[in-house]
Amino acid sequence: MRVFYKSLFVLLIIFGCCISSNAQGVLSKEEAITQMLSNNFGIQLAENQVEIADNNQGVLNSGYLPSLTGNAGGNYTKDDQDVTFRDGSQESIVGAETTRYNASVNFNYTLFDGLGRFWNYKSLKEQYDLTSLEARQTIETTLLQLFTVYYEVARLTENKKVLLQTYENTKQRFKRAEYSFEYGQVNKLDVLNAEVDIVNDSINLMNNRQLLENAKRDLNVVINSELEQKFEVDTVVSFTNQIQIENFVNTSSSNNVRLLQAEKNITISDYDYKASKAIFLPTIGLSGSYGWNEGNFPVTSFATSSTTTGVSGGLSLTWDLFDGGSGITRMKNARINYDNQQLIKAQIKQEVNRDIFNARGNYHTRLEILKLQTQNIFTAKNNYERSSEQYKLGQITSVELRQAQVNLLNAQTSKSLAKYNAKLAELELLQLTGQLLNVDF
């Protein structure tokens, strides 16, 4: 009996935790998604990458704007000079000083560079779109991770209720066995069996409670919240209409994020190939400057000082007729890379189609399993209720009643597992069809 009372003490602790958790707020699916989008580290990093790509595609990084530079300087010299003039006269100066000053504003602009700048700019636009798709993929993956953990918390929450009910039923059976033993209706074996079952039920509750706490911490990590934040979750699950699911599958080729990324990579490699052809065309540049120069000279110079200001401009043409072959090599490699991206897309398309067919099959199978498990609960419940009545009438033993109780417990937990497995299978299928962010949860 000492072990029995210890188990009761443990159960009181468990009940205390359960009662306190009932007062906790419910973390809805929508709120969990909002916190994830705002706080998740991976999503924040992905958004920063999108911002960098946005900066790179701007006109300031396009090469289409001119450059404007300012230069200024000064020079001072002091030396000894022996000078012979054209008329034959000579003069020696010790410490002859010369000062020069200059300032200018210089303008340079590339009028034409063989279209390399044009294709590079279009490539930067596509790279921004590619980075946005990568961020979307990160969000989809993180969202699927969120619901994997969220539904695990929900499943363990439902299991907790089932285990508590099982414990209550076992406790009632224990009391009934004690009364029957006191009146000599049953032997001590029924009491001992009920006592053992209460201990087992308490252990199951303890294990479930620990798993639930761990799962909640996992969820807090995904939404980047305090690890010990207390909350309950929504255990209601709704499934997407099957007709809509099939429509998503049929349009998956134009929505799957991996296929869209492959398309962008093909476009980028095509632009890179076209930009590499710029080596065959000349570069035309425009330059201009406005400058000021001032000099102060010793008496040995023809002028004692001078100041000049003026504007200059020019047009230049540069044609790299042969660079040793490196440009041609880059062009050939760019063409091969373009062909490789086509092959990669074909491979990804095959993999995506396979994954979609597998995911659709898994989804329909798990829906059927959910239907069977739902029906099985009614059978197990009826069996337990009839067994309970027969036990009260002394027609079956406590072992047979316990088996009916365990069957009901297994049916309830299996149905809960089947429900969330079916929903996760649906979410995986939605991710593959590119619709995970376009449905209600």
Side-chain angles (χ1 to χ4, degrees), residues 177-197:
E178 275 194 326
Y179 293 147
S180 298
F181 175 72
E182 290 177 2
Y183 289 101
Q185 296 176 351
V186 297
N187 56 32
K188 186 66 173 179
L189 182 60
D190 279 357
V191 179
L192 295 176
N193 285 337
E195 184 179 333
V196 170
D197 292 340

Side-chain angles (χ1 to χ4, degrees), residues 311-323:
V311 178
S312 65
L315 188 68
S316 64
L317 183 146
T318 303
W319 201 332
D320 198 353
L321 299 178
F322 184 68
D323 63 353

Side-chain angles (χ1 to χ4, degrees), residues 194-250:
E195 184 179 333
V196 170
D197 292 340
I198 285 183
V199 173
N200 289 333
D201 290 345
S202 66
I203 292 174
N204 292 336
L205 274 168
M206 291 174 63
N207 289 332
N208 187 86
R209 182 188 65 176
Q210 187 60 52
L211 291 174
L212 180 58
E213 291 178 354
N214 295 345
K216 287 185 176 181
R217 292 189 189 97
D218 292 339
L219 184 55
N220 283 329
V221 169
V222 176
I223 64 177
N224 192 17
S225 182
E226 293 293 334
L227 286 180
E228 298 304 322
Q229 177 184 347
K230 303 300 181 182
F231 57 86
E232 295 295 327
V233 297
D234 182 8
T235 59
V236 176
V237 171
S238 58
F239 293 94
T240 306
N241 183 276
Q242 292 299 307
I243 297 177
Q244 192 174 13
I245 289 287
E246 291 303 317
N247 290 334
F248 290 159
V249 171
N250 294 333

